[in-house]
Amino acid sequence: MPNLPREVLLDYCRRMLVIRLFEEALIGLHHEGRFKGHYHVYIGQEATGVAALGCVENGDHLFTTHRNHGHLLARGADPARLLAEILGRRDGYNKGKGGTFHTSSADLGFLHTSAVVAGIIPLATGAAYSAKVQKNGRIAVCLFGDGALEEAAAAESFNLASLSKLPVLYLCENNGKYGHGRATGAAQSSTMAAFPLTDLPKAYRIPAEQVDGTDTGAVHALVAEAVRRIRRGEGPQFIEAQTMRWPGNEASWPMVPAPTEIALAWEVGTVPEAAREWYRHSDPVLILIRELVESKRATRQEIDDVHQNVRAQIAAAVKFAFESPYPDPQEALKDVFAGR
Ligand SMILES: Cc1ncc(C[n+]2csc(CCOP(=O)(O)OP(=O)(O)O)c2C)c(N)n1
Ligand SMILES: [Mg+2]
């Protein structure tokens, strides 16, 4: 059970439910044909984003990827403005110009979000360099997928960060860990010759640890310690958070096998047979809920109340986002860097 105050755990649980219900709503809207285009959801990785980003401070520089919705929401993004951005509407975080792949918010610490795999790793390293030169006490946190390690940009960044002892946390979300019954440890979702993935940063003398990315308490403890080391001037740290693939992501367009209900923490009979194993053993939201109730830190009623509030918040976000107008075409070249 996470060694954290009850209020923190309940807040983490709420944030994780915001992410889960936001993503489920998004998938539903897409299936109804209410918006077009590709998008990636953070379902199954909520414990990593929420617990890790609970360890940073305002002013730290955060960088994320194509799978960014959960990271922004973990840091307190308004679901209504985030959805408006994904729909390309005027009230979105970037006035509808960033979309699902590039939503950023400097106020929340996210200086840049890029769907270019590994594109943010050099940028986060540069932000860490700037913080070191300016001695402003800030750190950079770079959240990326296991696939990003295949890119040369990752290796170059690790080298520079290690040589210059830069204040940066590289948080690799390996969402391809093999499930029960398969050859654990045989391969990752990415095609890396290095195994385990932590061998790569270790070759550059960057301390690297693995953690169960579905375990809120374990992620929090490890990230908090890494952040302490970085702030003490010990240089870059690397964490690989491992999660199982969410069954809804098996197809190229995500499907929701079963909408998340609190009751699923105890009984998964309503979930299609093929997906039950994930809901029983690998769903970070249900794992935390089970832990909270079984350790008597929260009652089922309290969790149900949080769930209902989040459900209402997401319904209001959907209404807000669809009511937000598309930007005026004359605004297209405003706030963009592209020159003529
Ligand atoms: C440089 C680059 N190459 C290829 C792609 C296409 N692409 C989008 S997501 C993705 C997989 C990334 O895997 P990973 O980093 O593990 O993230 P995950 O989707 O598993 O969270 C790829 C190859 C891209 N966006 N950028
Ligand atoms: Mg991956």
Side-chain angles (χ1 to χ4, degrees):
M1 182 63 212
N3 187 20
L4 288 166
R6 177 187 126 88
E7 290 66 34
V8 173
L9 289 170
L10 274 175
D11 181 55
Y12 279 4
C13 181
R14 181 187 61 76
R15 285 172 199 259
M16 285 161 67
L17 280 167
V18 168
I19 297 171
R20 176 64 58 89
L21 269 56
F22 180 93
E23 300 288 40
E24 289 181 352
L26 193 67
I27 294 169
L29 293 167
H30 190 263
H31 284 200
E32 287 166 19
R34 295 184 69 190
F35 76 98
K36 296 197 191 311
H38 207 39
Y39 59 98
H40 298 80
V41 295
Y42 197 63
I43 296 179
Q45 298 173 226
E46 294 92 341
T48 302
V50 168
L53 293 176
C55 298
V56 305
E57 287 178 11
N58 292 339
D60 288 338
H61 297 312
L62 314 175
F63 294 83
T64 171
T65 64
H66 58 288
R67 212 173 284 287
N68 60 65
H69 309 163
H71 298 149
L72 283 135
L73 291 169
R75 228 21 228 156
D78 175 358
R81 290 188 62 202
L82 180 59
L83 184 57
E85 184 59 41
I86 293 167
L87 301 180
R89 308 297 174 115
R90 194 187 290 172
D91 294 302
Y93 272 99
N94 308 103
K95 301 181 189 167
K97 290 178 195 163
T100 174
F101 282 153
H102 300 285
T103 308
S104 59
S105 164
D107 289 345
L108 296 171
F110 293 93
L111 298 191
H112 188 66
T113 293
S114 177
V116 176
V117 170
I120 52 161
I121 302 183
L123 297 181
T125 307
Y129 180 77
S130 144
K132 179 150 184 162
V133 169
Q134 294 182 43
K135 298 190 173 67
N136 59 19
R138 295 177 174 187
I139 67 167
V141 177
C142 188
L143 299 128
F144 54 90
D146 45 298
L149 292 178
E150 295 167 14
E151 302 286 337
E156 290 183 32
S157 301
F158 295 162
N159 191 41
L160 286 171
S162 181
L163 287 171
S164 302
K165 283 201 158 204
L166 299 183
V168 53
L169 172 63
Y170 297 113
L171 180 47
C172 175
E173 295 190 62
N174 181 0
N175 53 3
K177 190 184 170 205
Y178 276 7
H180 295 267
R182 296 181 73 182
T184 308
Q188 314 288 330
S189 70
S190 42
T191 46
M192 282 293 293
F195 182 82
L197 296 180
T198 44
D199 275 358
L200 194 71
K202 278 183 184 171
Y204 292 92
R205 298 175 193 277
I206 295 177
E209 305 266 3
Q210 291 179 312
V211 69
D212 176 352
T214 65
D215 185 334
T216 307
V219 172
H220 184 95
L222 200 61
V223 173
E225 179 53 25
V227 165
R228 271 194 290 276
R229 286 198 205 124
I230 295 168
R231 291 199 201 282
R232 280 202 301 262
E234 293 180 28
Q237 310 285 317
F238 181 103
I239 292 174
E240 176 196 348
Q242 298 182 329
T243 50
M244 308 284 180
R245 181 181 282 272
W246 171 56
N249 258 344
E250 295 296 345
S252 45
W253 293 97
M255 304 279 293
V256 177
T260 300
E261 296 292 343
I262 304 307
L264 291 178
W266 291 276
E267 178 48 59
V268 294
T270 53
V271 176
E273 175 91 47
R276 280 183 204 163
E277 196 172 271
W278 186 86
Y279 283 80
R280 274 199 192 104
H281 301 291
S282 304
D283 180 335
V285 178
L286 300 182
I287 290 172
L288 180 62
I289 288 171
R290 258 194 310 271
E291 286 178 344
L292 283 170
V293 173
E294 283 167 12
S295 69
K296 302 208 183 322
R297 307 243 193 141
T299 62
R300 274 176 82 149
Q301 186 59 51
E302 280 174 309
I303 306 283
D304 272 333
D305 291 347
V306 173
H307 186 226
Q308 291 313 325
N309 286 339
V310 171
R311 192 177 265 169
Q313 186 187 10
I314 299 301
V318 171
K319 186 166 182 298
F320 172 91
F322 277 99
E323 283 173 4
S324 173
Y326 285 109
D328 193 325
Q330 287 164 350
E331 297 270 303
L333 293 180
K334 275 197 185 155
D335 305 323
V336 295
F337 293 112
R340 285 166 186 263

